[in-house]
């Protein structure tokens, strides 16, 4: 046992025979997929879909044959799915403050609400013009005013959408040209509609209705271009004169002089805003030629010029303006149209709805901002859906609280108007739900559904008033409630999807 080791012939004593190395069994080797997961852990943890990982593997030059040989799976997509399952999701937070494009100041939106309501004071100064027999139980001259207003709301809503579409494409000059063509056409159309509905109205009433159409067109230009402060400054003298006349009546000459003066100021400011569209780097002639349907548009070079927005794309927005205008008019004049004499009871509702458009706009921005934060904080589609529904309820509740406060305040300040009862308040709030959810759907591009619901509601309420079916207040509340329920369902179905918030 203690003898020397036997050596084969020819070997030297200082060498030993080679001992074969034992091979490590395959079950004892580290898993190559685990090694790859550790190496790519940061990227895999931040991926939102296995396809991102597959793209990375292919960009590294891994072919399907190499993947089958090294990792024992079929191809890069199978390997990506395996890696995606083995690594826990960890989404890194961005560096620095988060960018929120929907953050907007409350003061600017409140200013727009005031600007929406101030033109109503013109009817205080123009009251001496409305003399003579009434129409359908309404004060003299009301019919041409309402017809011109509805035409203006319809046309200018579509015009504003087309101008905003150009602004979204980055072509501000094309937006100005659209307004330069569309605003005068809308003013002319509204005036013609008012004249056609004038009947035996006095010429002064027809002139007032034509001025109303011109104002709506010019104000649309300023609001689209973001010139609310200029519009407020132009309306300030007229508004101050109307408030003073409520306290101590002004001379009729002074009252009537304020109306054309304010209109002229708004028209000049609007023309000043769109005048740069007439002149580009090629001079005034090229700018004027670009106004023609076959002319060039915008100032961008031909190779960078985007496709023009379709005219038919603005039609749903115009119909939405018509439908909501009809609903608001019924809220203001439904009592009189139904044969009742207490028109002052419902008139404050229209004032409240008009003033509430400022807070409504701010709450729309607030919803977009909160939904963006929900996208960042939610880990699953169900959690994001719950967050969205909660945000909608919060914003809608805030709007209805503002609308209720404005409605009660307007009724308290309106001469000879009692506080509205439960049915009237319910109808007002349900109409507020219809308007706000309609605007919310419109802001997400789902204008077709909102337009269909609002047009159906306006048509049904018109038929109920014409046929005098049921109590007008209960009928109005039922119509508003049905439309509000349908649009709330559309909001939940659409905005619960993360892809709708792109």
């Amino acid at each position: 046992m203690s003898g020397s080791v036997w050596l084969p012939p020819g070997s030297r004593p200082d060498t030993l025979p080679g001992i074969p190395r034992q091979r490590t069994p395959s079950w004892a080797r580290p898993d190559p997929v685990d090694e790859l997961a550790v190496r790519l852990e940061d990227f895999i943890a931040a991926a939102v879909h296995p396809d991102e990982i597959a793209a990375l593997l292919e960009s590294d030059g891994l072919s399907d044959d190499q993947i089958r040989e090294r990792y024992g799976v079929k191809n890069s997509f199978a390997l990506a799915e395996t890696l995606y399952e083995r690594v826990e999701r960890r989404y890194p937070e961005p560096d620095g403050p988060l960018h929120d494009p929907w953050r907007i100041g409350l003061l600017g939106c409140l200013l727009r609400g005031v600007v929406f309501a101030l033109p109503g004071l013109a009817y205080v100064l123009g009251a001496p013009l409305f003399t003579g027999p009434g129409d359908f139980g309404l004060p003299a001259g009301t019919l041409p005013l309402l017809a011109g207003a509805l035409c203006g709301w319809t046309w200018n809503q579509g015009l504003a959408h087309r101008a905003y579409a150009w602004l979204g494409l980055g072509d501000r000059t094309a937006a100005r040209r659209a307004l330069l063509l569309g605003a005068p056409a809308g003013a002319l159309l509204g005036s013609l509609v008012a004249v056609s509905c004038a009947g035996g109205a006095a010429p002064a009433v027809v002139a007032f209705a034509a001025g109303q159409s011109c104002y709506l067109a010019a104000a649309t230009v300023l609001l689209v271009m973001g010139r609310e402060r200029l519009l407020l400054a132009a309306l300030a003298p007229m508004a101050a004169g109307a408030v003073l006349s409520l306290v101590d009546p002004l001379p009729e000459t002074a009252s009537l002089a304020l109306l054309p003066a304010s209109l002229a100021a708004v028209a000049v400011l609007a023309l000043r805003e769109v005048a740069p569209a007439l002149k580009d780097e090629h001079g005034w002639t090229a700018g004027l030629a670009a106004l023609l349907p076959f002319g060039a548009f915008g100032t961008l070079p031909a190779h960078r010029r985007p496709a023009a927005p379709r005219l038919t794309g603005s039609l749903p927005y115009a119909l939405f303006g018509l439908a909501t205008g009809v609903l608001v008019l019924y809220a203001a004049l439904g009592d009189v149209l139904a044969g009742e004499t207490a028109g002052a009871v419902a008139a404050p509702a229209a004032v409240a709805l008009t003033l509430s458009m400022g807070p409504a706009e701010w709450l729309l921005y607030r919803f977009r901002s909160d939904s963006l934060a929900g996208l960042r904080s939610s880990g699953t589609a169900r959690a994001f859906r719950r967050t969205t529904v909660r945000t909608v309820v919060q914003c809608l509740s805030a709007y209805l609280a503002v609308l209720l406060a404005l409605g009660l305040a307007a009724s308290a300040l309106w001469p000879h108007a009692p506080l509205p009862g439960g049915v009237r308040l319910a109808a007002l709030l349900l109409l507020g739900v219809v308007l706000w959810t309609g605007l919310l759907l419109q802001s997400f591009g789902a204008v077709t559904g909102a337009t269909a619901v609002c047009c159906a509601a306006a048509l049904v309420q018109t038929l109920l008033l014409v046929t005098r079916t049921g109590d007008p207040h209960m009928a109005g509340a039922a119509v508003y409630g049905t439309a509000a329920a349908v649009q709330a369902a559309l909001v939940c179905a659409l905005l619960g999807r993360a892809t709708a918030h792109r």
Side-chain angles (χ1 to χ4, degrees):
M1 294 294 294
S2 60
S4 60
V5 178
W6 177 85
L7 298 176
S11 59
R12 294 184 299 174
D14 57 348
T15 63
L16 295 175
I19 301 176
R21 178 183 299 177
Q22 294 183 352
R23 300 185 64 180
T24 303
S26 59
W27 54 265
R29 296 178 187 174
D31 187 354
V33 178
D34 286 340
E35 291 181 339
L36 184 61
V38 171
R39 182 162 61 89
L40 302 177
E41 181 178 7
D42 292 338
F43 182 87
I44 298 173
V48 298
H49 194 274
D51 288 351
E52 295 184 44
I53 307 171
L56 176 66
L57 296 175
E58 293 176 355
S59 67
D60 284 344
L62 283 176
S63 64
D64 290 344
D65 292 337
Q66 293 173 328
I67 289 174
R68 282 191 292 268
E69 181 181 353
R70 296 181 189 178
Y71 304 105
V73 293
K74 184 179 179 180
N75 51 33
S76 60
F77 293 99
L79 179 58
E81 291 178 358
T82 303
L83 294 172
Y84 188 82
E85 293 174 356
R86 294 192 183 187
V87 178
E88 184 181 358
R89 305 294 99 216
R90 295 193 308 273
Y91 301 109
E93 293 293 332
D95 298 331
L98 300 177
H99 174 62
D100 187 356
W102 303 109
R103 185 71 62 181
I104 190 173
L106 176 61
L107 183 59
C109 293
L110 293 179
L111 177 63
R112 289 174 71 90
V114 172
V115 168
F116 292 153
L118 276 184
L121 293 174
Y123 300 104
V124 176
L125 295 177
L129 302 177
F130 302 100
T131 57
D135 302 315
F136 303 100
L138 298 171
T142 305
L143 188 58
L145 288 177
L146 295 182
L150 284 177
C151 179
W153 289 341
T154 305
W155 179 274
N156 292 315
Q157 187 81 359
L159 175 62
H161 170 261
R162 183 162 180 81
Y164 278 126
W166 278 120
L167 291 175
L169 293 173
D171 202 336
R172 195 173 182 86
T173 300
R176 284 193 171 106
R177 287 174 180 160
L179 293 170
L180 186 59
L181 275 178
L188 178 60
L189 180 62
S191 301
L192 293 176
V193 170
V195 171
S196 64
C197 297
V205 173
V206 178
F208 188 96
Q212 174 187 258
S213 299
C214 294
Y215 168 80
L216 291 174
T220 299
V221 173
L222 294 176
L223 289 173
V224 169
M225 303 307 293
R227 299 293 186 260
E228 297 89 354
R229 297 181 186 274
L230 292 178
L231 181 57
L232 179 63
L235 293 175
M238 181 273 299
V243 173
L244 290 176
S245 66
L246 292 175
V247 179
D248 185 14
L250 297 176
E252 184 174 337
T253 304
S255 298
L256 297 180
L258 287 173
L259 294 175
S262 293
L263 176 61
V266 174
V268 168
L269 291 174
L271 181 59
R272 176 177 173 269
E273 188 62 33
V274 298
L278 292 172
K279 186 177 181 180
D280 57 16
E281 65 270 14
H282 302 294
W284 288 91
T285 304
L288 288 170
L291 292 176
L292 299 175
F294 50 80
F297 51 85
T299 57
L300 297 176
H303 66 280
R304 293 178 52 200
R305 191 173 296 157
R310 293 180 303 150
L311 285 172
T312 55
S314 300
L315 180 60
Y317 294 86
L319 294 177
F320 181 82
L322 173 62
T324 53
V326 170
L327 293 176
V328 172
L329 285 182
Y330 283 154
L333 303 173
D335 294 337
V336 179
L337 293 176
E340 301 182 14
T341 58
V345 177
V351 177
L353 287 169
T354 305
L355 286 173
S356 70
M357 288 298 101
E361 182 180 8
W362 184 80
L363 287 169
L364 290 175
Y365 279 99
R366 179 63 182 269
F367 173 79
R368 299 299 296 264
S369 177
D370 290 350
S371 62
L372 183 61
L375 279 173
R376 299 192 186 102
S377 61
S378 301
T380 63
R382 180 174 297 180
F384 175 71
R385 192 177 298 111
R386 288 197 301 266
T387 301
T388 301
V389 172
R390 184 170 60 251
T391 304
V392 169
V393 172
Q394 290 174 350
C395 292
L396 182 57
S397 300
Y399 171 68
L400 294 180
V402 171
L403 180 59
L404 178 61
L406 290 173
L408 294 176
S411 298
L413 296 175
W414 196 274
H416 312 296
L419 291 177
V423 177
R424 294 179 186 275
L425 283 179
L428 175 63
L429 295 179
L430 289 173
L431 179 55
V433 174
V434 174
L435 295 179
W436 194 82
T437 54
L439 292 173
L440 181 62
L441 290 170
Q442 181 178 274
S443 69
F444 278 87
V447 66
T448 304
T451 299
V453 173
C454 290
C455 286
L459 180 60
V460 169
Q461 193 167 9
T462 300
L463 293 176
L464 292 176
L465 286 174
V466 170
T467 59
R468 299 185 182 276
T469 302
D471 180 74
H473 310 305
M474 295 298 297
V479 171
Y480 300 151
T482 304
V486 173
Q487 289 197 161
L490 290 176
V491 167
C492 294
L494 171 67
L495 303 186
R497 302 196 304 262
T499 53
H501 298 259
R502 291 177 293 183

